[in-house]
């Protein structure tokens, strides 16, 4: 039996095609025949009927048909399916023999040709010897036939030919040899289909053999296969024919499933297969050959998987839970089981050899029936005929099985399954199968491949935290790495197996730890348990070679990809350190292994590598027994105890304001001169399991438990992997003395007092003062600062005065002047920087310190100035008149909370106005308290202007003032106020009166009125004086006169007051006849309207009474 | 009755896993682990069909030759997996459902324990005994 004995025969797996024999064609010498043959064979596409053609000679010997039996009662079958049967019906016995014969309907020698044709048909019939094969005749004709019914000769001769050849009319065809050969051929083929149904039916013979009725024909092949299938199982099964029954069941099941897939009923296929498996699962057969059963089972699953996969390739869709992968996987399981059983059943004593006359040898070299034993073919009784032969046969099979490369079979099946599960989104299933593949490779001693596969899937289980599975994989991987002498892998896996992710028992961990220590001491480790003995021998020599091998003995393990037995957490004590204090760094290390372990180096890498030298712990002892542990020592890790290592260093002054990060922590196990391994924690902490543990710990209530002194709870150690270096805390005080609010435009004085509280001299003090950056841009433009208070700032002064050097400071003061040109609040910054030398950890450093003070300053308007124009009678003026005097009045209202001293004031008149007298400040030296008001006025007049009415500028008003402060010397501020514009108008007649300042009752009061004509025209003026109760008067009561241009008329009246007190003067009415719009009221404004009349003297009582 | 019962955390690591001692424990661990493929697929499918959201029972995850694996997922995405022997044909879907319900109730009790830190392996005796009642008794 070949190793492929479980494979399905190729005849079974191929697509069944009807076999049609063509005879009478001479394809070698006859070109026409060749063309016909080519038309049949060439371009056989899928849409053409599945037929296999063969050209045979007319007298070809077909396989002999056994004589038909008339009764089956005495018939004892020797087996179910003969091995040659399928081949015979596929390739030897045709379903149809087509005889080609060249004959035209109008052939002159028709009679002779007809009988020759009949003879040929007879020869074919004879050689077929009564098989159920049909015969058809094709006439190759040179002429194109006429349409049917028109050619009377043709139909007559056709029926004659049919009669002569004993053919039905349907079996006679005409093939005109014309251009459309292929078309005719295709038509011919379709005509053949009728016969083909019979041809396909040959497949049912399997069923029919059991029926023992070869003459029953069926249409639905599938249904008959099913019947055949159930019949197979109805056969009496016993140990001797179990294999035959299973083989047959397997064949039929294959056919059914295949048909189901072809008919797109995959569920039927799956159901049939399940039924098949359930039925056959328990039919183990001979216990000594149990591996045969599992091999067969494996094959069943594999073939079904193949069928399923094939169907998918043809368009079937599979799903996650139903895909070929499951069948391959199951096939692999059975293959594994087979291997196990083979291991049990075939492990013979070394003396046992393959039996001498090979019981598996058959005379023909092949079996007659599928699934039978070669040494008792055709035997159908329950008990084996020859028990000795039986034993020999079984032994032969067992010996053969021993040589089968089971692992290869398993791996092939598993990799098939992996490919499928990858397709159907089953990553975990895939990983699992890959683990199995790895294990199988391990068993097959292909450790490199095993390790590659295991290493690949390991991280999946690690990230999913399935520790039980990870441990199992790691154990196999450790064995592989041991057997290959892979030092780094060995160390890595050992470290993980000793750690907290491993579920191994203490004693196993302890064994691994001892081995690891051996490896680190450059010794040969103890072999892993359950390893193949020969492999162990090889491994031991490999390890011994490694010892002598110089170099290549340092390994670095990046911890974040594993869960090693050492955990580490590094942290800075604080998130920031001042430059004048040492930076403190704690490294916590903890081991989970069963025995204490010593390490030889602990180093911390920081982002600034210059500090690395301060964060290094090295074993200085050069003793040999470096790995000998003594629990008291500093560099020894006691299982379950957290150790803390403290490092301190002084940061460099350049690093002020910078961040220092822990880039990694390295822990060295082993010796530098021997073999050592570096565990490297990137970022200073954490391996593959840490983040989850930290999360769990943060949720846990357990963190509140108190541990005894000096014992640290690992979970409570928090991470601080970076720190900031910040400048030294300044020991100075900065005080600001000032009197807010500031007044607009004043030189506001602020006194900065810097007091040093340093122990040593504060050097290089620099003060930066002014507007704090980042405020409104308009503030920057309206704020100026200077140290010089004697002059007022202008635009050249900045808003922020940087680096005012104050030298080495003994405590001192500095006045500053701020010029705020707009109101509102602004923030001022006072930044004092200095350097001072300090001593940290015995190191002198020059520290730069700085202190910021900010103050919010309000600026208010110091005073408000109100201006108005009034007449000489203090009446409000809307407009002024040319050459007529008026008053300009200023009211200065203090709004400052502080007293203001008005130093001086001055009016600078525009050219359109002239002062009447020398204008002198009337408020000079006046001090205004809050909300007090100072007023002054100036007498002015306007010279004539060109055109009658216009608006004229008045000029500027300057107020020089200063804050009256006892606190600091303040400078005088000159505030400019722009005087308002005023309307100027010409007046045609100017009237003014000349009269004493008071009158006395019953004493004459002379009043002189002056009328000036201010026009270039002669004016007629009507003047009248209205009577008054308070006065008697003499003079013209009513007069009309003419005033020449530029001339002045004088009118004199004597008023005689009758009553004392403020009395209204008799009203003077002036009417300008030329200027009717100049009213008497307007003119009257220039004249006094009242006068104070004093009472009469001592003897004036009567006069008062009379009044 | 079950041959293996497992509780799987939201992040797919085992919180509790117990199998009959007679057969390989590791095999069951692998079976439960691989079944998570199907659970994940089903959960992601449920997310799309909102109507089915309340159904926690996922049904038969996948059959192997020897075992049937059933799944159940709580609203907090904790998964329960029950593995039943394939030969045990008497077990009905309803019974599996009630097993899951019992398991869920007991699990809820565990979660209510203030001393239990969610995400830690389950070590409750009460839960253990509930699981024991559902397991095949080793004879």
């Amino acid at each position: 039996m070949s190793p492929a004995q479980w494979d399905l025969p190729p005849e079974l797996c191929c697509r069944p095609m009807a076999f049609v024999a063509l005879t009478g064609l001479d394809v070698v010498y006859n070109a026409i025949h060749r063309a016909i043959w080519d038309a049949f064979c060439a371009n056989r596409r899928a849409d053409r009927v599945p037929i296999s053609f063969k050209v045979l000679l007319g007298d070809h010997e077909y396989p002999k048909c056994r004589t038909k039996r008339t009764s089956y009662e005495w018939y004892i079958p020797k087996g179910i399916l003969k091995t040659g049967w399928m081949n015979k019906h596929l390739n030897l016995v045709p379903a149809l023999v087509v005889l080609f014969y060249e004959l035209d309907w109008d052939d002159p020698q028709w009679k002779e040709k007809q009988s020759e044709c009949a003879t040929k048909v007879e020869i074919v019939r004879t050689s077929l010897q009564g098989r159920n094969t049909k015969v058809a005749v094709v006439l190759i004709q040179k002429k194109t036939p006429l349409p049917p019914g028109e050619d009377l000769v043709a139909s007559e001769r056709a029926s004659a030919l049919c009669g002569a050849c004993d053919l039905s009319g349907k079996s006679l065809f005409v093939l005109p040899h014309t251009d459309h050969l292929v078309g005719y051929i295709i038509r011919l083929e379709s005509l053949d289909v009728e016969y083909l149904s019979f041809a396909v039916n040959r497949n049912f013979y399997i069923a029919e053999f059991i029926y023992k009725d070869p003459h029953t024909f069926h249409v639905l092949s599938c249904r008959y296969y099913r019947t055949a299938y159930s019949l197979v199982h109805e056969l009496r099964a016993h140990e001797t024919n179990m294999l035959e029954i299973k083989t047959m069941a397997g064949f039929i099941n294959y056919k059914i499933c295949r048909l189901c897939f072809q008919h797109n009923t995959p569920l039927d296929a799956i159901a049939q297969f399940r039924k098949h498996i359930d039925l056959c699962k328990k039919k183990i057969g001979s216990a000594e050959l149990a591996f045969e059963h599992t091999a067969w089972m494996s094959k069943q699953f594999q073939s079904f998987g193949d069928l399923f996969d094939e169907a998918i390739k043809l368009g079937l869709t599979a799903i996650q839970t139903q895909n070929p992968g499951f069948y391959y996987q199951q096939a692999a399981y059975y293959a594994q089981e087979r291997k196990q059983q083979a291991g049990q059943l075939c492990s013979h004593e070394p003396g046992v050899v393959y039996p001498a006359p090979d019981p598996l040898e058959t005379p023909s070299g092949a079996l007659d029936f599928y699934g039978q034993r070669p040494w008792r073919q055709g035997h159908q009784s329950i008990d084996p005929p020859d028990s000795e032969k039986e034993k020999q046969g079984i032994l032969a099979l067992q010996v053969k099985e021993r040589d089968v490369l089971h692992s290869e079979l398993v791996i092939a099946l598993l990799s098939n399954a992996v490919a499928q599960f990858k397709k159907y989104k089953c990553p975990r299933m895939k990983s699992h199968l890959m683990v199995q593949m790895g294990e199988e490779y391990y068993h097959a001693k292909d450790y490199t491949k095993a390790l590659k596969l295991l290493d690949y899937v390991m991280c999946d289980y690690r990230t999913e935290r399935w520790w039980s599975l990870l441990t199992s994989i790691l154990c196999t991987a450790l064995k592989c790495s041991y057997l290959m002498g892979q030092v780094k892998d060995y160390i890595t896996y050992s470290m993980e197996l000793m750690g907290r992710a491993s579920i191994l028992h203490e004693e196993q961990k302890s064994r691994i730890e001892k081995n690891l220590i051996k490896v680190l001491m450059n010794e040969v480790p103890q072999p892993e348990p359950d390893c193949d003995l020969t492999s162990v021998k090889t491994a031991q020599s490999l390890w011994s070679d490694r010892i002598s091998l110089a170099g290549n003995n340092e390994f670095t393990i990046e911890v974040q990809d594993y869960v090693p037995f050492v955990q580490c957490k590094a942290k800075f004590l604080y998130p920031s350190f001042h430059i004048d204090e040492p930076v403190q760094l704690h490294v916590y290390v903890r081991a989970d292994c069963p025995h204490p372990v010593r390490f030889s180096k602990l180093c911390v890498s920081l982002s600034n590598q210059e500090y690395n030298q301060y964060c290094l712990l090295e074993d200085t002892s050069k003793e040999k027994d470096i790995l000998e542990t003594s629990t008291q020592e500093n560099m020894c890790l006691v299982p379950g105890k957290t150790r803390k290592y403290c490092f301190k260093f002084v940061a460099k002054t350049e690093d002020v304001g910078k961040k220092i990060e822990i880039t990694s922590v390295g822990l060295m196990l082993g010796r530098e001169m021997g073999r050592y391994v570096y565990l490297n924690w990137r970022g200073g902490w954490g391996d593959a399991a840490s983040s989850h543990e930290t999360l769990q710990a943060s949720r846990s209530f357990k963190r509140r438990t108190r541990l005894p002194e000096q014992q640290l709870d690992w979970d409570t150690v928090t991470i601080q992997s970076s720190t900031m270096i910040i400048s030294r805390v300044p020991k100075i005080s900065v005080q600001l003395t000032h009197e807010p609010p500031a007044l607009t435009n004043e030189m506001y004085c602020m006194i900065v007092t810097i007091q040093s509280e340093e122990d040593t001299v504060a050097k290089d003090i620099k003060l930066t003062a002014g507007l704090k950056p980042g405020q409104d841009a308009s503030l920057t433009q309206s704020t100026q600062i200077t140290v010089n208070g004697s002059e007022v700032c202008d635009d050249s002064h900045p808003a922020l005065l940087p680096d005012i050097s104050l030298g080495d400071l003994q405590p001192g003061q500095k006045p500053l002047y701020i010029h705020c040109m707009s109101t509102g609040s602004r923030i001022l910054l006072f930044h004092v920087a200095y350097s001072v030398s300090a001593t940290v950890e015995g190191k002198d450093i020059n520290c730069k310190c700085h202190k910021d003070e900010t103050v919010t300053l309000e600026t208010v308007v110091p005073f408000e100035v109100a201006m108005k124009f009034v007449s000489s009678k203090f009446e409000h003026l809307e407009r002024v008149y040319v050459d007529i005097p008026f008053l300009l009045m200023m009211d200065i209202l203090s709004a400052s909370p502080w007293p203001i001293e008005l130093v001086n004031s001055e009016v600078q008149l525009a050219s359109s106005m002239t002062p009447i007298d020398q204008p002198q400040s009337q408020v000079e030296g006046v001090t205004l308290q809050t909300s007090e008001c100072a007023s002054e006025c100036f007498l002015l007049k306007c010279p004539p202007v060109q055109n009658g009415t216009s608006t004229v500028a008045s000029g500027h008003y300057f107020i020089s003032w200063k804050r009256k402060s006892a606190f600091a010397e303040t400078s005088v501020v000159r505030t400019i106020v722009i005087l308002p514009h005023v309307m100027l108008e010409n007046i045609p007649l100017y009237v003014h009166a000349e009269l004493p300042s008071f009158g006395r009752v019953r004493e004459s009061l002379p009043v002189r009125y002056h009328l000036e004509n201010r026009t270039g025209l002669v004016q007629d003026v009507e003047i009248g004086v209205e009577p008054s109760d308070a006065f008697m008067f003499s003079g013209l009561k009513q007069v009309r006169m003419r005033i020449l241009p530029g001339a002045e008329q004088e009118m004199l009246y004597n008023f005689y007051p009758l009553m004392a007190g403020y009395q209204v003067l008799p009203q003077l009415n002036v009417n300008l006849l030329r200027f009717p719009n100049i009213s008497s009221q307007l003119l009257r404004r220039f004249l006094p309207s009242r006068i104070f009349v004093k009472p009469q003297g001592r003897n004036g009582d009567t006069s008062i009474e009379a009044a | 009755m079950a041959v293996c019962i497992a509780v799987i955390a939201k992040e797919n690591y085992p919180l509790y896993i117990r199998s009959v001692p007679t057969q390989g424990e590791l095999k069951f661990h692998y079976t439960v682990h691989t079944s998570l493929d199907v659970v994940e697929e089903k959960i992601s499918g449920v997310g799309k069909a909102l109507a089915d959201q309340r159904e926690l029972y996922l049904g038969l995850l996948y059959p192997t030759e020897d075992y049937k694996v059933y799944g159940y997922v709580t609203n907090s995405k904790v998964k329960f997996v029950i593995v039943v022997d394939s030969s045990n044909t008497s077990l009905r879907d309803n019974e599996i459902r009630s097993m899951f319900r019992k398991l869920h109730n007991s699990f809820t009790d565990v979660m209510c324990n203030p001393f239990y830190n969610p995400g830690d392996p389950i070590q409750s005796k009460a839960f253990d005994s509930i699981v024991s009642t559902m397991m095949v008794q080793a004879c």
Side-chain angles (χ1 to χ4, degrees), chain A residues 274 277-278 281 297 301 320-321 326 330 334 425-432 435 439 460-461 464-469 472-473 692 695-697 699-702, chain B residues 6 8 11-14 17 26-42 60-66 86 114-120:
Chain A
R274 287 244 59 83
I277 291 302
D278 289 344
K281 210 189 320 194
M297 286 295 278
F301 278 99
Q320 189 192 38
T321 50
F326 286 101
Q330 201 57 41
Y334 276 111
K425 281 197 236 163
C426 300
R428 292 179 188 84
M429 184 63 99
K430 194 188 115 197
S431 299
H432 176 37
V435 170
E439 280 167 353
D460 293 343
Y461 290 98
E464 287 223 306
R465 305 171 50 77
W466 278 78
W467 303 138
S468 56
L469 303 181
S472 138
I473 298 165
H692 178 82
L695 181 70
Q696 283 299 104
R699 286 184 193 156
S700 173
F701 62 93
K702 282 178 196 141
Chain B
I8 310 296
E11 297 87 357
N12 285 338
Y13 64 89
I17 185 158
L26 199 65
K27 187 173 81 176
F28 285 118
H29 284 212
Y30 274 121
T31 307
V32 172
H33 184 245
T34 47
S35 73
L36 293 177
D37 282 337
V38 188
V39 173
E40 292 238 297
E41 192 71 14
K42 289 206 177 192
L60 182 66
L61 296 180
Y62 71 92
T64 65
E65 269 320 282
D66 309 316
S86 277
F115 296 104
Y116 174 73
N117 188 17
D120 279 351

